[in-house]
Amino acid sequence: MKTIVTGGAGFIGSHLVDLLIAEGHEVTVIDNLATGSLENIKQHKDSAALRFVNHDIADYAGIKDNWLAD
């Protein structure tokens, strides 16, 4: 299953990402890194199951047009 986690580089979001990837999901993380950190998801950096998008979720049009086309 394909899943989007907003704030996935934060403390709670990164734990959700860990669980989803462990269960075999493909995860797209959308995070602007204002309070999150790539350090929280570094264990998945080479995983084909993770896609990271550095973008503010408040800019939905930008996300939809640039990152969620596929």
Side-chain angles (χ1 to χ4, degrees), residues 26-70:
E26 293 179 33
V27 179
T28 298
V29 170
I30 302 173
D31 199 307
N32 66 359
L33 301 176
T35 58
S37 171
L38 290 176
E39 183 74 14
N40 292 332
I41 55 175
K42 70 179 178 186
Q43 65 275 22
H44 304 296
K45 71 177 182 168
D46 295 325
S47 172
L50 178 72
R51 178 178 178 199
F52 178 77
V53 176
N54 186 349
H55 202 86
D56 189 340
I57 193 68
D59 178 19
Y60 177 73
I63 291 170
K64 182 176 177 271
D65 294 342
N66 295 304
W67 304 106
L68 301 179
D70 54 347

